Amino acid sequence: MKPRDDIQLVRTIPERCRICYTCVRECPAKAIRVVHGQAEVIRERCIGCGNCVKVCSQRAKEIYSPIENVLNLLRDNKPCVALLAPSFPAEFTECPPRKLCAILKRFGFAYVVEVGAGADLVSRAYRQLLTENPSRSYIATTCPAVVAYIERYFPQLIPFMAPVVSPMVASARAVRRMYGKDLSIVFIGPCIAKKGEAQSEALSDEVTEVLTFSEMRQILDTHFPEWKQIDEEQNFDPPISGPGSLFPISRGLIQSASIPEDLTTDNVIVAEGRSDFVEAIREFDEGQCRPNLLEILACEGCIMGPGYSQKATLYRRRTYVSQYVRDKLKHIDWQLWRQQMALLAQINMFRQYISYEQRTPEPTSLQIEEIMHSLGKFKSEDELNCGACGYDTCLEHAIAIYHGLAQTEMCLPFTIQRLRETIQNLAESNEKLEKTQETLMQTEKLASIGQLAAGIAHELNNPLGVVLMYAHLLLDEYGTDESLKEDLKMIATQADRCKRIVSGLLHFARQNKISIETTNIPKLIEHACKLVIIPSNIQLKIADHMRNPIAELDKEQITQVLTNLITNAIQAMPNGGTITLITEDAPDEIYITVEDTGTGIPKENLSKIFEPFFTTKEMGKGTGMGLAITYGIIKMHRGQITVESNDNPKDGPTGTRFYISLPRYVSPINGIKEVDIKEWFHEAEMIEDMSKSS
């Protein structure tokens, strides 16, 4: 039963789909593909059973509706016949059957015929088929969803399908025989698959359009709102229906065809419902179940089809239909019924089936294993078979992934595990962020202390130097005077003590030890760059040319060196520019270059930039300690730092370039040898003294 290329029986409304996978679970044909979290119905695979429509609480499934086509048929001059499925009493419960017939005729249908008459013809055809072929096994073909399923997924069973039309097609052929061929025929029933049957290649031009009960009710409510107030009643048009009206109830075919059902021989087996009908077909194919007649319904009888608007239970609907058939058979004109059956005996009840295979090649065990591993399932105990993905087993889910019908995210345990890992990673990242924030806060504290120390040094060093100088001059001049000697010594001693206090503050602001650890230099540079806020008008580039990225150094202090240099570069480019960090290496050394396209450093200041407290920034914008601390850290690592700069555009592009060289490996004793620290402090003090003398 191949549908027309322009018809999709069921489609998903994306904005309503909530990724619950209920439709995937309920689809016996697995005709639903999940793409980007949306359940998409595959037209070629869909059998029109309507299970997805019934179970979707969000009303995200939309049925193909030919309402406009039907309205156009009714406006046409050609007579239009309404074929009313025998399950109609379970839908139009507020309206007696003869009144419903009158309403449909008032609305525009020329004839209203019960499909129960076609079911009578089908029952007779089945009885004759089984009588003439008692040793053969047949699959009943009254359910179009079952027919579509076999044609797509078990085409090898087509020879076993009973070559008998459905009651809908039988009724259509009957009315054309009685009223002429120039008719438009509209079937009204509870089934979505009937829409596909009416448009299939094997049964073209039998039935013009198919409406569900809910669509018929929608048409009446919209275009004939007064239909419930009509009191008129009319009889249904011939052919009249008999026992075939029981067809929508489970085993209706068996009873109406008077087929003997012997439980000891299993000559007749009935299967109905989403899972049972699939299992029955599978066992029939395997030869485990081969009765004389296998009656299969995709629903629990047509009274549970998806085309109802009323939300009644199975047994209440069954009661409505049973009561109507019971009353009907009490008052039926049996002689007229037999005459009509005889008149229609020459109608061709034969049909053919066309293979429309949708089976796909099964994946290999290796491919399945790879998919299972991607789902976090490495052994059989990992296969929970919980069904949350919409598939009964993890294996079926893996096969669906292979066929492109499912995604790994549909596995709930797998998704929960990944969510836990993500939460754990976020927690670790948050912990690292907190530590970084603490480090930044500590750095800010140290910077504040450095500013305080710089201020104290700036304000006290010069007067202290004057006090010390005059104290020593006085000692030289009046040192022989015992009455003044002790006082002058006290002045010199206390002034020297003040100088040591200031020096201690400076030492506290500076790092005076290093903690060596193995470090990945490119990653260290990336981390340092993240610690500095880069303005939008400045571009930061990193050029890594290292062959061996590993070195031993103090990560925190080298990070401080880099942040100091990057910050200075940013401040040197008020109008924007580019900062480039270049890494290179030799077997025993690493080289880091930090260059900018800023305003440059005047030549007269190049020799002073590493001096403590030297700054060209305006008051309050800097302490002059950044490059001094940088110099000290590099020295403590036994490295070198040099600078090149151009501030004159006439000499070429302006900018500054700092070159840093560090030994790849350092063997520290308590961080670093004490002599190195003293050497650095001594060198810093010499620079400070030279600055004062100049």
Side-chain angles (χ1 to χ4, degrees):
M1 189 176 73
K2 179 181 179 181
R4 259 180 17 206
D5 291 340
D6 60 338
I7 289 180
Q8 177 152 353
L9 298 180
V10 182
R11 76 172 190 91
T12 299
I13 304 174
E15 57 270 21
R16 293 184 181 176
C17 185
R18 293 294 180 269
I19 325 175
C20 65
Y21 307 135
T22 306
C23 57
V24 176
R25 185 179 305 110
E26 293 298 321
C27 179
K30 297 307 175 190
I32 297 178
R33 172 174 51 213
V34 177
V35 181
H36 304 304
Q38 295 294 319
E40 172 187 301
V41 181
I42 305 173
R43 182 180 64 87
E44 294 81 6
R45 295 178 64 89
C46 179
I47 63 174
C49 65
N51 284 328
C52 60
V53 178
K54 290 193 289 186
V55 300
C56 184
S57 61
Q58 301 300 315
R59 294 183 296 175
K61 294 294 183 288
E62 183 178 61
I63 303 171
Y64 163 73
S65 178
I67 288 179
E68 288 301 320
N69 295 345
V70 172
L71 293 175
N72 290 332
L73 292 176
L74 293 173
R75 298 186 190 105
D76 197 2
N77 294 326
K78 185 188 297 186
C80 190
V81 180
L83 296 182
L84 199 58
S87 52
F88 76 89
E91 167 68 27
F92 297 97
T93 57
E94 76 275 47
C95 182
R98 296 178 70 248
K99 179 179 177 180
L100 178 62
C101 177
I103 291 170
L104 294 177
K105 287 189 174 183
R106 285 277 296 272
F107 187 65
F109 288 102
Y111 305 97
V112 180
V113 177
E114 289 187 84
V115 175
D120 289 327
L121 296 173
V122 170
S123 297
R124 183 172 63 183
Y126 271 94
R127 186 167 57 249
Q128 182 179 352
L129 181 68
L130 296 177
T131 301
E132 295 175 354
N133 302 278
S135 60
R136 286 199 57 180
S137 294
Y138 289 101
I139 300 174
T141 56
T142 55
C143 177
V146 171
V147 171
Y149 185 82
I150 293 176
E151 288 179 332
R152 283 165 171 76
Y153 305 106
F154 288 87
Q156 68 273 19
L157 295 183
I158 286 179
F160 294 94
M161 297 171 70
V164 180
V165 296
S166 67
M168 177 186 77
V169 176
S171 299
R173 292 179 180 180
V175 297
R176 292 189 190 280
R177 176 69 178 271
M178 297 185 71
Y179 302 114
K181 295 184 178 181
D182 193 21
L183 298 171
S184 296
I185 298 178
V186 177
F187 175 82
I188 305 169
C191 185
I192 297 173
K194 287 291 185 185
K195 296 174 182 283
E197 180 185 13
Q199 305 296 338
S200 65
E201 293 179 358
L203 298 170
S204 60
D205 300 327
E206 298 280 5
V207 175
T208 312
E209 293 291 354
V210 172
L211 292 174
T212 61
F213 287 142
S214 57
E215 288 172 333
M216 189 68 246
R217 185 180 287 273
Q218 178 185 344
I219 290 176
L220 292 175
D221 289 340
T222 304
H223 300 279
F224 193 24
E226 66 276 13
W227 67 278
K228 293 182 181 179
Q229 281 72 48
I230 292 179
D231 294 328
E232 179 185 354
E233 292 187 357
Q234 292 190 36
N235 292 324
F236 289 101
D237 294 297
I240 62 175
S241 62
S245 297
L246 291 171
F247 253 62
I249 300 176
S250 177
R251 283 181 165 77
L253 168 62
I254 308 301
Q255 181 171 335
S256 61
S258 300
I259 299 173
E261 185 177 3
D262 188 348
L263 297 178
T264 63
T265 61
D266 284 337
N267 66 313
V268 175
I269 294 179
V270 177
E272 56 189 28
R274 177 185 68 87
S275 58
D276 287 352
F277 96 80
V278 173
E279 185 64 28
I281 292 175
R282 185 176 294 111
E283 293 189 6
F284 188 97
D285 180 52
E286 295 171 354
Q288 300 177 15
C289 164
R290 287 292 174 90
N292 197 205
L293 179 65
L294 178 62
E295 184 189 9
I296 312 177
L297 300 175
C299 304
E300 295 174 304
C302 297
I303 54 176
M304 294 304 292
Y308 281 93
S309 65
Q310 304 297 326
K311 302 300 180 184
T313 63
L314 167 65
Y315 300 104
R316 182 173 297 181
R317 290 179 181 177
R318 177 170 181 155
T319 299
Y320 286 133
V321 174
S322 298
Q323 183 176 351
Y324 171 69
V325 177
R326 184 169 57 251
D327 293 342
K328 181 181 184 65
L329 296 181
K330 284 182 181 179
H331 302 93
I332 191 173
D333 185 341
W334 287 106
Q335 183 177 359
L336 177 60
W337 179 78
R338 292 188 184 92
Q339 290 176 354
Q340 291 181 351
M341 290 292 289
L343 177 65
L344 299 173
Q346 301 303 317
I347 291 179
N348 180 16
M349 300 294 292
F350 177 80
R351 67 156 297 181
Q352 290 182 324
Y353 304 95
I354 301 174
S355 174
Y356 186 43
E357 186 166 355
Q358 295 297 310
R359 292 179 298 182
T360 51
E362 292 299 311
T364 64
S365 57
L366 180 60
Q367 291 170 326
I368 288 293
E369 184 178 355
E370 291 177 354
I371 295 173
M372 285 291 195
H373 289 176
S374 71
L375 292 170
K377 305 180 190 304
F378 298 94
K379 51 184 182 297
S380 58
E381 291 81 359
D382 297 332
E383 299 179 26
L384 303 180
N385 300 326
C386 63
C389 60
Y391 294 88
D392 293 334
T393 65
C394 296
L395 177 61
E396 291 182 11
H397 182 206
I399 294 174
I401 292 174
Y402 172 79
H403 290 146
L405 301 177
Q407 297 175 317
T408 56
E409 292 80 3
M410 295 169 62
C411 179
L412 184 59
F414 172 71
T415 303
I416 291 175
Q417 181 61 32
R418 287 213 310 180
L419 181 60
R420 286 175 178 169
E421 293 173 357
T422 302
I423 292 173
Q424 183 178 354
N425 292 336
L426 287 174
E428 293 175 356
S429 299
N430 188 50
E431 184 179 352
K432 291 179 181 178
L433 180 60
E434 289 179 354
K435 291 181 179 179
T436 302
Q437 289 175 335
E438 291 176 1
T439 302
L440 289 174
M441 291 175 64
Q442 184 65 21
T443 302
E444 290 177 359
K445 291 179 182 179
L446 292 176
S448 299
I449 294 174
Q451 289 179 348
L452 174 63
I456 292 173
H458 180 73
E459 297 295 333
L460 295 182
N461 271 344
N462 288 336
L464 282 174
V466 172
V467 170
L468 278 171
M469 181 182 69
Y470 279 97
H472 286 290
L473 288 174
L474 288 172
L475 276 172
D476 291 341
E477 185 173 351
Y478 300 102
T480 58
D481 189 340
E482 294 296 331
S483 61
L484 297 175
K485 183 178 180 179
E486 293 301 323
D487 292 337
L488 291 174
K489 283 185 177 180
M490 179 66 70
I491 292 172
T493 300
Q494 295 303 318
D496 189 59
R497 182 177 176 223
C498 290
K499 184 174 179 62
R500 286 198 304 271
I501 292 173
V502 171
S503 178
L505 288 173
L506 288 173
H507 291 175
F508 181 77
R510 298 164 179 162
Q511 295 288 337
N512 58 5
K513 64 178 181 178
I514 59 176
S515 178
I516 299 298
E517 59 182 305
T518 302
T519 305
N520 185 299
I521 301 302
K523 290 185 178 180
L524 175 67
I525 290 177
E526 290 179 4
H527 173 69
C529 293
K530 293 178 180 178
L531 297 178
V532 182
I533 299 176
I534 308 297
S536 59
N537 62 346
I538 293 178
Q539 184 179 11
L540 179 64
K541 296 181 179 180
I542 299 176
D544 179 23
H545 302 302
M546 296 187 70
R547 290 166 292 183
N548 179 8
I550 303 302
E552 291 182 353
L553 43 78
D554 189 316
K555 292 172 60 175
E556 297 298 326
Q557 296 206 43
I558 296 301
T559 299
Q560 185 177 1
V561 167
L562 294 171
T563 54
N564 284 346
L565 295 178
I566 295 172
T567 301
N568 286 347
I570 292 173
Q571 294 172 350
M573 295 185 291
N575 298 322
T578 301
I579 301 174
T580 305
L581 281 78
I582 304 170
T583 57
E584 299 171 298
D585 68 334
D588 297 321
E589 286 189 303
I590 63 171
Y591 309 103
I592 302 174
T593 304
V594 181
E595 62 181 40
D596 63 64
T597 58
T599 56
I601 302 172
K603 291 181 178 180
E604 61 268 24
N605 291 335
L606 281 176
S607 61
K608 304 176 184 179
I609 60 173
F610 294 119
E611 297 176 6
F613 317 115
F614 175 79
T615 179
T616 59
K617 300 172 185 175
E618 61 187 61
M619 184 66 68
K621 292 296 182 64
T623 64
M625 294 297 297
L627 288 177
I629 292 174
T630 296
Y631 181 87
I633 292 173
I634 298 301
K635 281 294 183 179
M636 283 191 292
H637 279 79
R638 303 174 185 175
Q640 297 290 332
I641 180 169
T642 57
V643 61
E644 292 179 357
S645 186
N646 176 39
D647 68 329
N648 188 355
K650 294 180 179 179
D651 297 334
T654 60
T656 302
R657 185 181 293 110
F658 285 90
Y659 298 97
I660 299 172
S661 65
L662 296 169
R664 188 182 294 276
Y665 303 106
V666 178
S667 300
I669 301 175
N670 295 326
I672 192 169
K673 293 179 180 179
E674 186 68 16
V675 65
D676 293 334
I677 301 174
K678 291 181 178 178
E679 287 177 358
W680 174 69
F681 284 141
H682 177 68
E683 188 173 356
E685 289 173 353
M686 289 179 60
I687 294 174
E688 184 176 354
D689 293 340
M690 290 171 59
S691 174
K692 290 178 181 178
S693 62
S694 64

